[in-house]
Amino acid sequence: MRENVNFLRSRIKYLLLICIAILFGVWSCSEDNGDDESIFDPTKPAVLNSFYPDSGRYEEQVILAGNNFGNKAENINVYFNNTKAAVIGTDGNQIYVQAPRLPGDTCVISVVIGEDSLCYEKKFLYHKSVTVTTIAGNGNGHDYQDGDLTSSILKPKYICVDKEGNVFIQMWNDDRSFYCICRIDEEDNELITIKKDIVGNVPCADPETGIITIPTEATIGSFYTLDPDEMWAPRVREMKFQDITKLPIHGWKHCMVVNPDDGYIYTQYWTGELVKIHPKSYSTEIISMHGEGNCYGMTFNPLHPNLLYLCFYSGTFSNCIYTIDVTAPDSTFQKIAGTTSGGHRDGPLDVAEFKQPSQMFCDNDGNIYVADFGNNCIRRITPDGMVETVLGMPGTAGWKDGTKDEALFNGPTGIGIGIDGSVYVADFGNSRVRKLSIN
């Protein structure tokens, strides 16, 4: 019943959006036919009056009133805090926008037209809601069964999502006697086996090519690739180190990530070597050396190109999150959050605490999600440097779907983010794949 109501609401909003867009199109045409009142005059400042409604959630339709906006939507930029909103249209005295995703609880709305940059005095109150649902697995961590998602059985360890929305799972069963790479196709409600007996770690998806890369510990430089043009048939690859006199001692590499800025694949070895790999030639260079430790989480932030985030599960930097600028690796490795003793604390990065953080991933808006294994919850680092618990009760393991006040996790290890902003969680202790819907 609730799903039907939500569907009707979404359809009504969609129809209203179309109607308003048509009206804006009519107004724009009338402006083009000789009405000069709403044509932008660069010699005069834009003026802000008010906006309606004064609160809402993601994709809320908001009308900004004022004058001298001009009649070309492409010349107007609107921000809710630092997050850009979609400008649907303008008639010169009103701008029609959609509230962006996760801009913050209390938002300053700013309008940028030409050299004018203005802010409304009144704040927009953003309503956000987070819910979690189980999309695969039934709690059985010993067996494996693909096919229909509702009857699927798996033990998800790590996860990634490609640009087409395919969810890839590196699976380990409870006694580590069975490993598997599988794919979730939500649209067809299906769990598909790609290859059994592949022992891999944290995978990543190339945002351009869609190729999946999975580190393995079989040899010092070994990893797998899954190419969508080859129906994701696994291929074993080997890194080609430029300096063979400085090879890592062991093949213990637990995570890979693609840098959208330079296209290289990056991985961190347990022995401390941070390397970058050419995506086609596999030429490999050690760019930095740190202390020993397990790093299961690496991500790049689109708001800060070439800044690599690493979270350390154990070892020299255990329970901490570090950053490094891969264009200047010799001098930029620094801790931004956590204490080696571990714990749970939300707030500014410099005081926040994590406990055995595992996989992490950054969305297009600069929000970094962390599978906080030791705390049994999902954490988020916001673009303005605040850490918050998104779902789960710190220190309490369990399995329950629902809202922030209800949801429980049990040792989550994997995080992936879909193209629509949905967050997928490999809830390892519960032997389930969960999906966070964030509005």
Side-chain angles (χ1 to χ4, degrees):
M1 181 67 180
R2 181 179 297 176
E3 291 180 355
N4 291 335
V5 171
N6 290 336
F7 175 77
L8 289 174
R9 285 176 177 170
S10 66
R11 299 303 298 171
I12 291 170
K13 274 194 169 185
Y14 179 72
L15 291 173
L16 286 173
L17 175 60
I18 292 176
C19 292
I20 295 176
I22 292 173
L23 287 174
F24 271 111
V26 172
W27 287 335
S28 296
C29 288
S30 67
E31 296 301 335
D32 292 339
N33 290 330
D35 185 356
D36 294 331
E37 291 183 0
S38 64
I39 296 177
F40 177 62
D41 184 349
T43 66
K44 297 180 181 179
V47 177
L48 305 182
N49 292 332
S50 61
F51 59 84
Y52 178 84
D54 60 4
S55 64
R57 57 183 59 188
Y58 174 44
E59 292 188 334
E60 188 78 35
Q61 293 87 39
V62 182
I63 295 177
L64 312 180
N67 56 65
N68 199 31
F69 293 149
N71 58 5
K72 294 184 178 180
E74 61 269 24
N75 293 338
I76 302 172
N77 289 311
V78 176
Y79 298 89
F80 284 55
N81 289 341
N82 296 318
T83 305
K84 192 173 183 179
V87 178
I88 307 302
T90 176
D91 69 348
N93 297 318
Q94 297 182 34
I95 306 170
Y96 180 69
V97 302
Q98 283 185 315
R101 193 168 66 90
L102 301 176
D105 295 336
T106 303
C107 301
V108 174
I109 300 179
S110 57
V111 178
V112 180
I113 305 171
E115 296 182 357
D116 287 347
S117 180
L118 306 171
C119 298
Y120 283 96
E121 291 185 8
K122 185 174 68 171
K123 305 294 193 300
F124 179 88
L125 301 180
Y126 186 84
H127 305 312
K128 63 183 178 183
S129 63
V130 185
T131 57
V132 61
T133 56
T134 297
I135 63 171
N138 64 0
N140 180 349
H142 303 284
D143 303 317
Y144 175 74
Q145 179 176 309
D146 59 11
D148 186 88
L149 287 180
T150 56
S151 58
S152 61
I153 301 173
L154 78 168
K155 184 76 171 180
K157 185 70 172 178
Y158 304 116
I159 197 167
C160 76
V161 187
D162 71 6
K163 61 181 180 178
E164 303 298 330
N166 295 289
V167 182
F168 294 86
I169 308 292
Q170 172 65 60
M171 197 202 96
W172 302 7
N173 70 341
D174 277 337
D175 61 7
R176 298 194 179 189
S177 62
F178 178 77
Y179 299 85
C180 178
I181 291 290
C182 50
R183 177 173 66 91
I184 290 177
D185 186 331
E186 273 194 283
E187 186 173 338
D188 291 338
N189 191 42
E190 190 175 11
L191 176 67
I192 303 161
T193 300
I194 293 178
K195 179 71 174 177
K196 295 180 180 180
D197 300 322
I198 285 186
V199 184
N201 285 312
V202 179
C204 66
D206 189 303
E208 296 296 329
T209 65
I211 293 175
I212 308 301
T213 307
I214 309 167
T216 180
E217 302 175 20
T219 66
I220 290 174
S222 59
F223 61 98
Y224 291 99
T225 60
L226 315 177
D227 192 329
D229 291 337
E230 300 176 351
M231 296 302 295
W232 298 293
R235 291 185 178 274
V236 180
R237 307 295 187 184
E238 195 73 26
M239 300 178 200
K240 300 175 183 177
F241 283 87
Q242 295 181 15
D243 186 351
I244 60 173
T245 66
K246 297 181 179 179
L247 295 179
I249 300 174
H250 304 287
W252 303 334
K253 48 194 179 298
H254 302 126
C255 182
M256 283 184 160
V257 65
V258 175
N259 181 357
D261 196 66
D262 63 19
Y264 278 79
I265 304 163
Y266 289 77
T267 190
Q268 171 87 14
Y269 283 78
W270 179 86
T271 43
E273 295 89 352
L274 175 63
V275 307
K276 70 174 185 178
I277 309 156
H278 192 281
K280 293 183 179 179
S281 69
Y282 309 130
S283 175
T284 303
E285 176 188 359
I286 298 174
I287 65 169
S288 186
M289 183 73 181
H290 318 303
E292 294 180 349
N294 291 314
C295 175
Y296 299 120
M298 300 171 67
T299 191
F300 283 94
N301 189 331
L303 302 184
H304 306 285
N306 293 304
L307 189 64
L308 176 61
Y309 290 71
L310 307 96
C311 61
F312 290 90
Y313 182 92
S314 60
T316 305
F317 312 114
S318 60
N319 305 311
C320 295
I321 296 178
Y322 280 70
T323 59
I324 185 171
D325 184 340
V326 297
T327 65
D330 293 336
S331 58
T332 58
F333 183 68
Q334 62 176 344
K335 185 179 77 170
I336 62 168
T339 59
T340 54
S341 59
H344 178 276
R345 185 175 182 180
D346 288 338
L349 272 170
D350 59 352
V351 300
E353 293 187 352
F354 297 82
K355 188 176 182 181
Q356 297 174 304
S358 188
Q359 195 176 350
M360 68 194 310
F361 199 83
C362 188
D363 68 13
N364 292 330
D365 298 322
N367 296 284
I368 300 174
Y369 291 83
V370 182
D372 197 357
F373 175 85
N375 281 316
N376 299 305
C377 57
I378 307 303
R379 313 286 291 282
R380 177 169 58 213
I381 303 172
T382 65
D384 57 355
M386 297 296 290
V387 177
E388 57 186 5
T389 299
V390 179
L391 285 175
M393 185 177 295
T396 301
W399 171 68
K400 190 173 184 180
D401 287 339
T403 64
K404 184 177 178 66
D405 296 329
E406 302 168 328
L408 293 174
F409 295 85
N410 185 5
T413 50
I415 284 279
I417 299 180
I419 52 177
D420 64 348
S422 295
V423 179
Y424 295 85
V425 177
D427 194 358
F428 186 68
N430 282 319
S431 304
R432 292 173 167 93
V433 176
R434 319 276 295 278
K435 181 179 181 179
L436 279 60
S437 298
I438 303 171
N439 292 305

